[in-house]
Amino acid sequence: MRRAFDIVKAHYDANDRRDMDGMLADIAPDCRWTEMDGFPCAGTYVGPQEVFKNVFQALGQAFDGYTFKLERLIDAGDEVVGVGDYSGTHKGTGKAFKARVVHVWGVAGDKIRRFEQFTDTLRVDESMR
C-alpha cells in the first residue's frame, strides 16, 4: 500500500507533466474536493469527473497558462499539505495573477478522499476585473 504522501506527490508530478489522467487516477469516486469560497470555481465537487469538469476544465477555459507550482509537500500521515503558487492570465481581461495557495489532502485506502484549497482569492479576482 502506498503512503498518502506518495499518492499526493504522484498527483503533483502528473500536474507538472500536464497529464490529466494521472492527476485524476487516485481521486476516489466519493472524494469531496473543495475549492475556496471566492475562487472562480468555488464549491465542493464529488468524484474525479466532477473535479475535472468543474475545476480543471473550468480553469483552463477561463485562464491562459494556468499553473500550480509546488514549493513544498508536508507529510502528516493520512493528511498531506501542499504549499505553492497559482499563476495565470485571465482570457477575458488579459490580466495576469500570482497567488499563494495551500492544499490539504486526506487519503485513505490508497485513494484521495478529501481535498481543500486555501488561497488568496483577491489576487485571482483582480485578474478577472
Side-chain angles (χ1 to χ4, degrees), residues 23-59:
M23 291 174 66
L24 297 171
D26 293 316
I27 297 175
D30 63 348
C31 174
R32 295 186 55 79
W33 185 286
T34 301
E35 297 286 319
M36 191 168 179
D37 189 37
F39 198 65
C41 52
T44 298
Y45 308 102
V46 179
Q49 292 313 310
E50 285 209 6
V51 171
F52 170 73
K53 177 179 144 199
N54 296 299
V55 180
F56 302 142
Q57 190 174 48
L59 291 172

Side-chain angles (χ1 to χ4, degrees), residues 2-9 73-81 105-111 114:
R2 298 178 299 159
R3 297 180 312 141
F5 182 90
D6 297 326
I7 291 168
V8 173
K9 184 174 183 322
L73 198 56
I74 302 164
D75 187 346
D78 289 340
E79 301 281 326
V80 179
V81 178
W105 303 82
V107 178
D110 236 20
K111 290 289 185 184
R114 288 181 327 282

Side-chain angles (χ1 to χ4, degrees), residues 13 37 40 62 67 72 101 119 122:
D13 290 345
D37 189 37
T67 60
R72 67 185 177 275
V101 62
T119 191
L122 177 62

Side-chain angles (χ1 to χ4, degrees), residues 4 11-12 20 39 45-46 48 56 65 70 102:
H11 173 90
Y12 287 129
M20 187 59 62
F39 198 65
Y45 308 102
V46 179
F56 302 142
L70 181 65
V102 172

